[in-house]
Amino acid sequence: MIPTSEQLCAAVPGAVIEIVPSTPAAAQPAMLVDREHLVAVARYLKNEPSCQLDFCSCVTGVDYLAKGFIEIVYHLYSVALKHGPVVLKVRAPRELNQCHVPSLTTVWRGCEFQEREAFDLYGVKFDGHPDLRRILMWNEFTDHPMRKDYVPPADYEWEPTPHDEVLKRTKAAGGIMPPSAAVEVKK
Amino acid sequence: MIAAPSTIPAGGAITTQLLEISIGPQHPSTHGVFRMDVVLDGEVVRALKPVVGYLHRNHEQLAEKMSWLGSMPYTDRLDYFNSMSNNWAYALAVEKLAGIKVPERAEYIRVIMAELSRLQNHASAIGFLLQDCGAWGTPLLYAFKEREKILDFFETVSGSRMMCNYFRFGGVRVDLNDEMLAMARKIVAEFPKFLDEFEKLMTTNEVVLARCQRVGILPKELAIAGSISGPVARASGVEYDIRKVDKYGVYGQLEFGVPVGAVGDVYDRYYIRVLEMRESVKILQQVLRDIPAGPVQAVEVKLRGFKIPAGDGYGRVEGAKGELGFYLVSEGGPKPYRYHIRPPSFINLTVLEDMCVGHKVADAIIILGSIDIVLGEVDR
Amino acid sequence: METIYQLLHVTFANVPAWTVQVAAFLIPIAFIFGVYPAIFALTTLVERKALGRIQNRYGPNRVGIFGVLQPLADGLKILLKEDIVPRVADKFTHFLAPVLIVVPGLLVYLVVPVAPGMVAVDLKIGVLFALAVGTMSAIALFMAGWASRNKFSLLGAVRAVAQVVSYEVPTVMAGVAVIMAAGTLSTLTIVQRQGGGILNISNWYVFRPWGLVGFVLFVIGGLAESARCPFDLPEAESELIGGYHTEYSGFKFALFQMGEYLAGMAMAGVTVTLFLGGYMGPGSGPGLVGSLIAMLWFFSKLAGMIMLNIWIRGTWPRLRVDQLMGFAWKVLLPLALVNIVAVGFWHFLTPRPLAWVVTTGWLVIWFLVLTKCNASAILEKREYRYV
């Protein structure tokens, strides 16, 4: 039985839950939970015998640039009772030093890699994650590529024999000039 | 990161050291560019960390710049072994968001394609598993003989053996004529013979039994907690198959069983795939018998300038490797705002360390092979 | 060699003695150096085609009709490849290891008789020499793995040494049974003892109960010694990339392959000598025609053993290293010891039928006991439910 938001507010006192609709045809409304009570809500959903949502299927990060927050979406299913999905959402501000949410890896182990991916690509820190480091990009990479305001570096098209357009752009942006360009630019 | 090698005083006289080894990314048996940082004590694995990202092609960001339909060929390249299922997952997610109804003949064709995909995927998977065990290609090439027939069928239908790009929102691209259906019936008629021969050679082979039984056991609770799906989870006793739970397509009207194992070791994962192949043959026989006539694409879907109303939604299918899902966010425009793939191989790797610790290096390779990962899906 | 010396001495009587001596030992060496590497080249082609046929495909068939020029093409390609030595490798050992792999393989052929009286060196301790020299490859494998300064190679080398040393024991014990029955260590004499009987065949040791068991043990041990499938853990491609020969390229790699194949063929040759009657067969005897027929017999038996090796390679997966060791120490070694006792029974029980019955019964009982005690690979009764 999929729980209602009133049930959750009663079970986890102090939780602020808001319903966010999906597309009309999909009929998968999400419950937006505040950061402080996310773990408690998640534990309740997992352990309550009437819902038993023991399978966390998908963890996604979405960057709402215009609205100023990054949203993490959890899709939960139940293997025992074969119902779902129950969608949980939590929001964090976009500034890197404030962008953190609690990690649900302690509740569902399957969130581990997907939360690492959200950290890698969006810069969201998950408090309480056992091993938070980059997963898809290489370790020395800076910046978070999936953000809507991500600008690729000026010299990312560096090639040993670059043509004029790229060279000019690189020089103007102060990027690293390739050694072979020294000859061409002099001309 | 892996801890620095420490010395273990072993019973007094001899001090030994832990050996840190990196298996991959260039390795014949890691199923692609995949790396495992393994800490070994002699031959026994003490710690194992999978390192992925060598095939990251930025699919999710590319999709934000393309139209809804423009991402369809890219989904072929996710799990490049069964492109038909990937296409279906994306088409299903979009149809769920937009509320598009698919005509019945198209649903039957979709089931044919998905189950044939499943057959050739499982055949390759067990072939590769036995290749990792050390049989120099013989079971692999027997499995590939059947796979070739299925790939020839895909080529006849869609023009391409592996990257088919065959599904559209609201149906499939082209119809199947009688000749193609006859080809499919022939494949389905010959498949059980291959399975019987394969089982006779491999299922009771002493070396396979000695290598695969009681190796890499995945307990049921860990499988559910770790979000493991597909044959890996069902071998551990998790009774969950999206075809039976969500009843998407025409699966609700078909009669088939879902095999579930008990122990969850490598042998179970191998044998569950064999049983699933037999069930797929049953499904295909029913579908090929009952396929109705009719259109194969929903007429109201205009593919040029296709838009989805604002909102988000999640659609999933039972791919051959597990639950393949798409989470899509639309702002009402012609391009997705967020396009996220829930890859089964990526998430099934969560428990790789748990399964491998305490076993030997040779077992770690076999356990990885039994999870059946495809790097296109893991890294996107 | 003595035969050739006598032959030459008689034919060329007016040539100085030392020339005849030098010729007498150069000719067998030339024979070994010429024939066996040629067989190796042919074997690589036959193996690839046979494996291909087992796997439902053609083997190489582009270079020459049926691919017969493939070994030539492979040799040419390998000679032209760049020889890469890792910067941190131990250069001297890295260079020496491939050489040391090939040498024991070739040395074993010295004591394998090809025709009546035609063995390169008729050592009184022939079998001991063959088995002892064959073990030298373990050192070379370890040198290769150690010198490469690569963790995978090291793992491969460690496994190689463990495997070769473990499988030495049952192999030698199986050989001991033959030595006891023949009463001599000289390979030429052992082959001569297997002559006579019906068509020169029925006296082969493989047709005795203890000989059959010994033959099986020796074949398995031979596969393990030369690190061939299903015992190819040292070079387990799917786990360790290349094992001990990962860091070798060019001609040194070719020498590794040659060493492995030569060792395999040498063990096959020793098996043929000890168990399958060497050059004995209908029509083999002294004299020119008899010697030619004997050579034909020997090489056909060798070819048969090589085909058996290839067949096993194409069919069986690989055992894990601890299962391998367990198999050697817990099953093969006790069986080898039991076999020695069986030879004793055979020798001392005088009425022949009684000897047959007692020996066969003894071996069968012990075989059943050992396999029952060590049956680790039984198909467990598993429940699969359908939901």
Side-chain angles (χ1 to χ4, degrees):
Chain A
M1 194 182 64
I2 298 192
T4 58
S5 60
E6 291 80 21
Q7 203 179 339
L8 280 174
C9 285
V12 181
V16 177
I17 301 190
E18 181 194 325
I19 304 283
V20 178
S22 67
T23 60
Q28 290 173 353
M31 287 190 278
L32 175 62
V33 188
D34 59 315
R35 283 192 273 183
E36 290 73 29
H37 297 97
L38 180 67
V39 182
V41 168
R43 272 196 217 285
Y44 172 77
L45 286 173
K46 182 177 177 196
N47 298 326
E48 170 67 22
S50 63
C51 23
Q52 279 189 58
L53 292 162
D54 47 9
F55 191 84
C56 173
S57 177
C58 182
V59 178
T60 316
V62 192
D63 182 13
Y64 289 101
L65 179 62
K67 300 183 197 162
F69 53 76
I70 294 186
E71 196 172 75
I72 309 287
V73 184
Y74 292 85
H75 284 85
L76 310 168
Y77 283 85
S78 170
V79 167
L81 302 176
K82 309 252 188 307
H83 63 86
V86 169
V87 190
L88 283 182
K89 287 189 182 184
V90 65
R91 292 181 181 163
R94 289 188 83 248
E95 293 75 33
L96 279 174
N97 50 2
Q98 296 173 29
C99 191
H100 61 98
V101 295
S103 163
L104 292 186
T105 307
T106 42
V107 185
W108 294 290
R109 175 107 184 262
C111 302
E112 185 183 339
F113 279 16
Q114 303 185 74
E115 288 181 351
R116 271 177 68 184
E117 184 189 335
F119 164 67
D120 185 8
L121 299 177
Y122 283 98
V124 178
K125 289 184 212 27
F126 289 87
D127 307 322
H129 192 280
D131 185 17
L132 194 64
R133 54 193 165 97
R134 288 191 181 268
I135 190 167
L136 290 178
M137 307 304 290
W138 59 95
N139 293 335
E140 295 80 20
F141 191 82
T142 52
D143 207 350
H144 301 280
M146 281 288 281
R147 287 185 167 224
K148 294 282 180 184
D149 56 354
Y150 173 72
V151 175
D155 59 351
Y156 85 106
E157 278 189 19
W158 181 91
E159 40 179 325
T161 54
H163 47 276
D164 292 331
E165 203 32 71
V166 177
L167 270 179
K168 265 190 266 176
R169 224 183 326 140
T170 311
K171 193 154 190 288
I176 306 170
M177 294 291 277
S180 58
V183 178
E184 270 192 71
V185 171
K186 255 194 239 151
K187 282 194 212 134
Chain B
M1 279 300 157
I2 309 280
S6 63
T7 44
I8 309 176
I14 311 177
T15 51
T16 55
Q17 248 191 346
L18 293 172
L19 185 70
E20 272 179 43
I21 223 176
S22 144
I23 299 187
Q26 290 158 323
H27 196 280
S29 286
T30 52
H31 299 267
V33 274
F34 173 69
R35 189 172 119 211
M36 299 191 275
D37 280 335
V38 182
V39 175
L40 292 176
D41 176 18
E43 281 256 345
V44 178
V45 174
R46 291 273 175 242
L48 188 151
K49 294 266 179 267
V51 178
V52 297
Y54 288 93
L55 197 55
H56 181 58
R57 295 160 293 177
N58 206 13
H59 178 191
E60 297 184 354
Q61 197 178 53
L62 284 173
E64 291 173 11
K65 300 178 168 42
M66 293 190 291
S67 64
W68 291 98
L69 189 58
S71 309
M72 187 62 92
Y74 286 77
T75 58
D76 287 329
R77 279 116 176 118
L78 278 178
D79 172 1
Y80 35 77
F81 264 92
N82 29 8
S83 61
M84 294 286 194
S85 307
N86 303 352
N87 284 165
W88 194 359
Y90 182 49
L92 192 94
V94 168
E95 283 154 16
K96 196 178 251 201
L97 257 72
I100 303 172
K101 178 109 180 29
V102 180
E104 199 162 352
R105 185 173 168 92
E107 293 279 25
Y108 273 80
I109 293 179
R110 285 179 169 188
V111 171
I112 295 176
M113 296 302 165
E115 293 304 318
L116 281 176
S117 248
R118 193 184 312 272
L119 281 180
Q120 58 96 14
N121 177 69
H122 283 335
S124 323
I126 53 183
F128 276 115
L129 176 65
L130 288 162
Q131 164 88 341
D132 290 343
C133 279
W136 284 82
T138 310
L140 180 65
L141 286 168
Y142 278 27
F144 267 39
K145 198 166 65 163
E146 295 305 310
R147 185 168 177 251
E148 284 300 309
K149 298 180 195 163
I150 298 178
L151 291 182
D152 284 343
F153 174 71
F154 284 168
E155 186 178 10
T156 314
V157 168
S158 72
S160 162
R161 280 155 55 97
M162 279 167 74
M163 312 300 175
C164 299
N165 189 15
Y166 182 61
F167 287 51
R168 295 284 176 267
F169 309 135
V172 294
R173 180 156 51 106
V174 288
D175 198 353
L176 297 181
N177 57 23
D178 291 328
E179 192 188 308
M180 297 176 193
L181 283 173
M183 212 169 158
R185 288 192 182 101
K186 188 155 168 289
I187 295 175
V188 172
E190 289 171 357
F191 209 84
K193 195 165 80 100
F194 153 72
L195 275 179
D196 292 334
E197 185 186 45
F198 206 83
E199 278 211 76
K200 203 158 65 152
L201 282 176
M202 286 295 157
T203 303
T204 47
N205 184 320
E206 287 97 11
V207 182
V208 171
L209 292 177
R211 285 304 294 271
C212 297
Q213 281 189 328
R214 300 280 156 191
V215 167
I217 294 183
L218 180 65
K220 182 174 164 184
E221 298 74 27
L222 184 58
I224 301 178
S227 306
I228 311 295
S229 55
V232 180
R234 286 196 282 278
S236 297
V238 177
E239 297 172 9
Y240 198 75
D241 184 327
I242 301 174
R243 295 175 291 177
K244 290 279 195 190
V245 170
D246 283 357
K247 296 193 180 38
Y248 59 94
V250 289
Y251 282 112
Q253 301 156 22
L254 298 171
E255 278 180 40
F256 62 101
V258 170
V260 171
V263 176
D265 56 2
V266 171
Y267 186 78
D268 262 353
R269 293 195 271 275
Y270 152 77
Y271 202 64
I272 288 283
R273 290 194 170 98
V274 172
L275 293 175
E276 278 194 10
M277 281 197 272
R278 292 198 192 274
E279 294 301 315
S280 287
V281 167
K282 264 194 238 169
I283 296 177
L284 279 166
Q285 283 164 347
Q286 291 171 49
V287 170
L288 285 168
R289 189 188 61 208
D290 297 337
I291 182 167
V296 287
Q297 189 143 22
V299 286
E300 70 271 12
V301 177
K302 286 174 342 112
L303 292 176
R304 280 195 194 281
F306 177 71
K307 292 189 176 57
I308 296 184
D312 63 355
Y314 180 70
R316 59 183 192 160
V317 296
E318 176 77 23
K321 300 189 161 53
E323 173 184 334
L324 176 61
F326 279 77
Y327 175 66
L328 301 167
V329 176
S330 161
E331 300 223 297
K335 301 185 189 180
Y337 185 78
R338 173 74 170 112
Y339 168 105
H340 176 72
I341 305 157
R342 186 261 186 220
S345 306
F346 184 55
I347 296 171
N348 287 356
L349 284 176
T350 312
V351 290
L352 183 63
E353 182 172 8
D354 297 78
M355 287 198 277
C356 286
V357 167
H359 290 291
K360 310 231 169 14
V361 171
D363 296 331
I365 305 281
I366 294 191
I367 295 170
L368 181 65
S370 73
I371 300 182
D372 190 16
I373 62 170
V374 167
L375 263 300
E377 210 172 43
V378 170
D379 291 339
R380 283 153 282 153
Chain C
M1 191 164 76
E2 273 75 30
T3 328
I4 299 189
Y5 177 73
Q6 298 300 329
L7 210 61
L8 290 177
H9 194 72
V10 164
T11 329
F12 302 100
N14 44 357
V15 170
W18 62 267
T19 332
V20 178
Q21 272 186 336
V22 165
F25 65 71
L26 279 184
I27 292 181
I29 293 180
F31 180 80
I32 292 179
F33 263 97
V35 169
Y36 291 106
I39 298 184
F40 153 68
L42 197 61
T43 308
T44 49
L45 174 67
V46 168
E47 168 155 27
R48 286 166 70 174
K49 288 200 85 70
L51 276 181
R53 287 292 172 166
I54 294 178
Q55 293 166 1
N56 197 36
R57 57 182 174 93
Y58 299 117
N61 61 354
R62 299 279 169 196
V63 192
I65 305 188
F66 297 128
V68 286
L69 293 180
Q70 183 74 33
L72 195 69
D74 278 341
L76 204 62
K77 172 201 82 168
I78 278 245
L79 277 174
L80 295 174
K81 273 201 179 175
E82 177 187 358
D83 185 22
I84 305 175
V85 177
R87 206 176 343 127
V88 292
D90 184 350
K91 296 220 179 353
F92 180 63
T93 325
H94 191 89
F95 178 80
L96 202 56
V99 175
L100 279 187
I101 286 254
V102 175
V103 167
L106 284 174
L107 277 178
V108 175
Y109 292 115
L110 287 176
V111 294
V112 170
V114 172
M118 295 242 277
V119 63
V121 183
D122 188 14
L123 289 177
K124 287 213 184 51
I125 49 161
V127 178
L128 180 63
F129 175 78
L131 293 173
V133 161
T135 325
M136 236 167 78
S137 58
I139 294 248
L141 293 180
F142 193 75
M143 280 168 67
W146 179 263
S148 300
R149 205 70 193 279
N150 177 349
K151 287 175 191 166
F152 284 118
S153 303
L154 192 63
L155 272 178
V158 165
R159 287 175 173 185
V161 171
Q163 175 183 307
V164 170
V165 163
S166 301
Y167 276 84
E168 248 332 291
V169 186
T171 313
V172 170
M173 294 285 166
V176 165
V178 170
I179 296 168
M180 280 169 66
T184 169
L185 278 170
S186 157
T187 44
L188 201 54
T189 324
I190 291 180
V191 173
Q192 281 163 354
R193 291 269 160 83
Q194 294 183 64
I198 313 168
L199 285 181
N200 265 350
I201 293 183
S202 66
N203 268 348
W204 292 356
Y205 287 148
V206 74
F207 293 122
R208 309 275 178 264
W210 47 266
L212 187 61
V213 172
F215 174 66
V216 169
L217 286 173
F218 209 86
V219 165
I220 298 178
L223 282 176
E225 297 273 323
S226 37
R228 280 189 68 88
C229 230
F231 302 113
D232 62 346
L233 277 112
E235 56 153 50
E237 187 195 276
S238 54
E239 294 150 32
L240 301 176
I241 305 164
Y244 58 85
H245 61 65
T246 314
E247 298 285 354
Y248 284 89
S249 67
F251 199 61
K252 293 188 191 149
F253 182 74
L255 280 180
F256 269 111
Q257 300 295 35
M258 190 151 111
E260 181 193 315
Y261 277 80
L262 283 179
M265 292 193 313
M267 288 310 279
V270 176
T271 317
V272 166
T273 308
L274 291 181
F275 293 95
L276 289 175
Y279 54 73
M280 283 296 176
S284 45
L288 187 61
V289 175
S291 296
L292 282 177
I293 296 183
M295 274 218 269
L296 200 67
W297 273 108
F298 174 77
F299 282 109
S300 347
K301 288 181 212 173
L302 190 66
M305 289 296 306
I306 295 175
M307 285 308 291
L308 184 71
N309 282 2
I310 295 174
W311 186 8
I312 294 179
R313 179 179 188 183
T315 323
W316 279 42
R318 184 187 303 137
L319 283 174
R320 211 173 57 207
V321 69
D322 60 329
Q323 292 163 349
L324 206 80
M325 297 300 144
F327 185 57
W329 291 101
K330 290 194 266 189
V331 177
L332 292 185
L333 179 60
L335 205 56
L337 293 173
V338 156
N339 200 28
I340 292 180
V341 177
V343 177
F345 283 150
W346 178 267
H347 189 75
F348 286 108
L349 290 176
T350 22
R352 271 288 146 221
L354 180 66
W356 272 91
V357 167
V358 170
T359 319
T360 319
W362 170 257
L363 284 170
V364 165
I365 292 174
W366 272 105
F367 176 74
L368 290 174
V369 164
L370 283 172
T371 41
K372 264 285 171 307
C373 289
N374 289 306
S376 60
I378 330 165
L379 180 58
E380 295 171 19
K381 190 106 181 39
R382 298 273 175 104
E383 295 277 315
Y384 294 100
R385 20 182 232 290
Y386 284 85
V387 296

